Amino acid sequence: MKKSRSDNICNYLKTIDPEKLAALGTMAAGIIHEINQPLNSIRVKLDSILYCYKKYGEIDEKDFINKLEAISKEIQGMTGIITNIQSYVQRDEEDLKQNCDLNEIINNVLLKMEEEFKTKQIRIEKSLEKIPSIQGNIFGLESLIINLLCNAIQAFSKDCKSKVVQIGSFFKEGNVCLEIRDNATGIDEVLMDRVFEPFVSTKEKGANQGMGLGLTLAHWIVSAHNGEIEIKNNLLGGVTCKVTIPVDYLGSKKL
Ligand SMILES: Nc1ncnc2c1ncn2[C@@H]1O[C@H](COP(=O)(O)OP(=O)(O)O)[C@@H](O)[C@H]1O
Ligand SMILES: [Mg+2]
């Protein structure tokens, strides 16, 4: 008997790690939710423009422009979501067997973000120990560090007096470790269990901030390197994010 397309899909799904499949489901549900809402809102606005035009044979120019502007913003938001996911998917297809010097990646990221730290008056304290190189993806590790540093930067309120972000690397029990610690607001304990879920964010929605994908992507990148990521509130305020990646990592682990 000929196999149907859905049989093939079911068989393929059975080969995927159930945990990954669940994560994929959550991600898909999140994307559907995030895209559905602006789509509906765009439809309502377009319907109302059409309704007025059909009924009165003319359009109120001011109202029309306002609606077009709102629609454009909504499309921008959706494009932002897609670009974010796209950049991750493209990374996933890339080689995960590059020779990565984490200290060099950290230094490059800090150089790129130097101006941002300066203008926001955040002191950066760096402590990089001698560490072996790891096998992985340079672009992925770079985006991981950028995501974690951006979260630290965004967590400081404007009136905060002494803003410090510490970044460190060290080698421990066969793992290369990265630690990023800030003295900002910390994370609400209620939210702590959900920070790695897609679209969980306490920030204002926008194309560049507050999409709630930063830590989801960070988690995926670290998992692809067979590593672990942990986020904790510090006793004296702020957050510490710790990433451990094994050095004897063999073969790529597909997501
Ligand atoms: N260093 C941090 N300090 C305080 N809150 C943080 C920090 N890192 C993450 N968070 C919290 O976790 C949420 C999810 O982070 P993330 O997945 O990067 O999404 P986003 O930054 O787009 O909101 C943030 O909205 C914020 O509430
Ligand atoms: Mg973020």
Side-chain angles (χ1 to χ4, degrees):
M1 203 171 74
K2 210 177 156 208
K3 274 198 167 183
S4 71
R5 188 174 147 77
S6 62
D7 279 342
N8 285 339
I9 293 173
C10 283
N11 284 337
Y12 171 67
L13 291 180
K14 278 182 204 152
T15 65
I16 303 178
D17 180 344
E19 239 177 74
K20 303 274 159 55
L21 203 58
L24 200 66
T26 315
M27 185 79 174
I31 295 168
I32 290 166
H33 176 263
E34 289 298 300
I35 301 236
N36 237 351
Q37 192 271 332
L39 271 182
N40 274 330
S41 162
I42 289 171
R43 188 178 49 81
V44 169
K45 287 187 187 82
L46 290 176
D47 281 352
S48 102
I49 293 170
L50 273 176
Y51 174 81
C52 287
Y53 185 69
K54 279 181 188 160
K55 192 164 180 191
Y56 306 109
E58 58 180 324
I59 289 172
D60 177 316
E61 201 181 309
K62 206 173 155 207
D63 179 60
F64 182 64
I65 302 281
N66 281 345
K67 285 196 171 110
L68 284 190
E69 274 170 0
I71 289 171
S72 169
K73 260 196 194 145
E74 270 152 345
I75 292 175
Q76 254 177 49
M78 289 193 285
T79 313
I81 292 173
I82 289 162
T83 312
N84 224 304
I85 293 166
Q86 227 171 19
S87 72
Y88 179 73
V89 172
Q90 274 157 10
R91 184 214 57 80
D92 189 31
E93 283 165 3
E94 279 175 34
D95 190 8
L96 267 155
K97 290 180 181 170
Q98 293 169 346
N99 197 37
C100 304
D101 176 345
L102 193 69
N103 283 347
E104 193 182 314
I105 299 175
I106 294 172
N107 281 329
N108 284 341
V109 169
L110 289 180
L111 207 64
K112 274 187 201 169
M113 296 178 74
E114 199 179 17
E115 210 44 50
E116 194 170 354
F117 280 109
K118 225 184 250 172
T119 47
K120 294 192 171 138
Q121 292 169 322
I122 300 170
R123 196 171 76 236
I124 182 103
E125 290 176 0
K126 185 173 76 168
S127 147
L128 309 183
E129 292 183 9
K130 200 170 170 358
I131 49 169
S133 59
I134 48 173
Q135 222 180 66
N137 182 273
I138 297 172
F139 174 71
L141 293 172
E142 204 177 87
S143 7
L144 162 77
I145 298 166
I146 292 174
N147 265 317
L148 299 180
L149 286 175
C150 281
N151 276 348
I153 293 173
Q154 289 162 2
F156 287 111
S157 59
K158 274 201 186 111
D159 46 330
C160 179
K161 281 199 183 94
S162 154
K163 307 180 202 175
V164 183
V165 173
Q166 293 167 314
I167 183 162
S169 69
F170 54 95
F171 179 67
K172 195 180 170 192
E173 293 158 6
N175 295 302
V176 159
C177 307
L178 162 77
E179 232 175 58
I180 295 179
R181 170 191 277 261
D182 62 65
N183 63 343
T185 53
I187 300 177
D188 191 329
E189 286 300 337
V190 181
L191 189 82
M192 195 56 110
D193 288 342
R194 301 185 52 225
V195 284
F196 292 110
E197 286 177 26
F199 304 110
V200 167
S201 177
T202 53
K203 296 166 195 167
E204 230 175 86
K205 295 240 160 180
N208 300 317
Q209 234 199 47
M211 214 169 289
L213 285 174
L215 288 179
T216 310
L217 298 189
H219 191 275
W220 280 15
I221 291 164
V222 175
S223 306
H225 288 78
N226 275 354
E228 275 168 27
I229 180 165
E230 186 184 64
I231 287 207
K232 273 189 190 157
N233 277 324
N234 305 324
L235 278 178
L236 298 173
V239 160
T240 297
C241 187
K242 190 173 172 186
V243 173
T244 50
I245 295 177
V247 173
D248 63 348
Y249 157 71
L250 293 170
S252 66
K253 189 177 168 187
K254 271 268 170 195
L255 286 166

